[in-house]
Amino acid sequence: MVHTVLPVPPPRRPLDPGTSGTVRQWYENELGWATAPGEPVRLVTGVRFDVLEVPAEAGFAALRHLGPASPVALCAGRMRLLVAAGSAEELPGLLDWLEWGALALDLTATGAGGRTEAPLPPGWAPASVPDPAGTPGSRPLPLDRAVSQGAAVWLRPPEPGCEVEQVLPTLSAVGGGGGAPDLVRLVDTVATQCHRVRLRRACAQPIAFS
């Protein structure tokens, strides 16, 4: 009988609060997500997930198509939806099939070989405010203030111990009975909302008279 020897994962390093290395350790140790070298900390896309990015206004309308465990981040008025790896390559053809391909939509996807800024782990903040006793750094900034400063933050954070692939929108969910969200419904909804946002902004532009 041949026994397969499985590699033993390296021991987890203790977290060192207050450093960017702590953020990197949280993603690599707690979630098993790859990060790219350098600063700021960036997540490698195309391995365990791709990222679909849309205006936040359009993204909020699509949250109903996601499960509660499907990670979603906000950054400077943009929403980043984690979708199944390989979705970025499927997006152009999917938009054509949904008859959105001919329109310029404020919708992008980052997949294999890409990078995306790593939001701070849940409960962390890019800056802090003093508590009533005057101790600095004890209370995180509220979500809206953190977003207004341009920091990437989790609206729906990933859950340590949860296999993210099982909760991400995917094309394979079409017509299936599994629990994964349907990528087609998600893309159709965000495309519709992106188009509405574009029309609304165009109507709000002042008319130029010559």
Side-chain angles (χ1 to χ4, degrees):
M1 180 181 294
V2 177
H3 296 278
T4 302
V5 179
L6 297 178
V8 177
R12 293 185 176 185
R13 294 170 292 176
L15 297 183
D16 179 17
T19 68
S20 60
T22 313
V23 176
R24 189 181 305 279
Q25 290 175 40
W26 187 81
Y27 280 103
E28 294 181 351
N29 293 346
E30 299 299 324
L31 300 180
W33 293 5
T35 62
E39 301 294 338
V41 179
R42 294 184 177 274
L43 305 174
V44 177
T45 57
V47 179
R48 301 193 63 180
F49 56 82
D50 290 353
V51 175
L52 181 64
E53 183 174 310
V54 298
E57 184 178 352
F60 278 112
L63 293 182
R64 68 181 185 274
H65 295 306
L66 301 176
S70 188
V72 178
L74 292 172
C75 183
R78 308 282 295 177
M79 183 173 289
R80 296 171 182 171
L81 310 165
L82 268 61
V83 294
S87 298
E89 296 178 2
E90 301 284 355
L91 183 62
L94 183 54
L95 289 172
D96 286 340
W97 184 72
L98 292 169
E99 299 184 351
W100 287 110
L103 297 177
L105 299 174
D106 189 5
L107 183 159
T108 61
T110 305
R115 306 287 186 269
T116 186
E117 179 184 351
L120 290 173
W124 298 28
S128 57
V129 293
D131 66 11
T135 303
S138 59
R139 288 193 296 149
L141 283 174
L143 178 63
D144 57 348
R145 288 183 60 188
V147 173
S148 68
Q149 291 188 0
V153 295
W154 286 113
L155 175 64
R156 293 184 180 180
E159 299 178 5
C162 174
E163 293 296 328
V164 70
E165 292 87 350
Q166 298 179 7
V167 298
L168 297 181
T170 175
L171 276 178
S172 62
V174 179
D182 183 347
L183 181 66
V184 175
R185 290 176 182 266
L186 176 67
V187 169
D188 193 32
T189 298
V190 293
T192 300
Q193 296 302 320
C194 284
H195 184 53
R196 290 176 178 173
V197 170
R198 179 171 174 267
L199 292 177
R200 192 155 48 243
R201 290 174 179 174
C203 292
Q205 294 294 326
I207 300 176
F209 294 94
S210 56

